[in-house]
Amino acid sequence: IKAIILHVNSPGGGVAASEEIYREVKRVRDGKKKKIVVSIETVGASGAYYVASAADKIYADNGRKVG
């Protein structure tokens, strides 16, 4: 596996769950040396964006709600 793509479509979530997923994405990216790419479908807000921030690259079209 050369890269992992995370397909995100979420308005967010709880702090604890977002933090746990963020740490795991970061662990795989740094520890396993895997490239992580996030594709935001419609919404990637709050906790979902926090998780995405652990990736190497985030892709979202202009009409997407991100942040």
Side-chain angles (χ1 to χ4, degrees), residues 29-40:
R29 187 191 79 193
D30 297 340
K32 305 281 186 182
K33 305 292 186 215
K34 298 293 179 190
K35 184 172 178 115
I36 309 283
V37 177
V38 171
S39 170
I40 296 178

Side-chain angles (χ1 to χ4, degrees), residues 2-23:
K2 294 182 180 181
I4 297 170
I5 299 171
L6 300 176
H7 183 94
V8 172
N9 190 28
S10 173
V15 175
S18 298
E19 175 66 23
E20 187 175 339
I21 298 167
Y22 170 87
R23 277 190 264 130

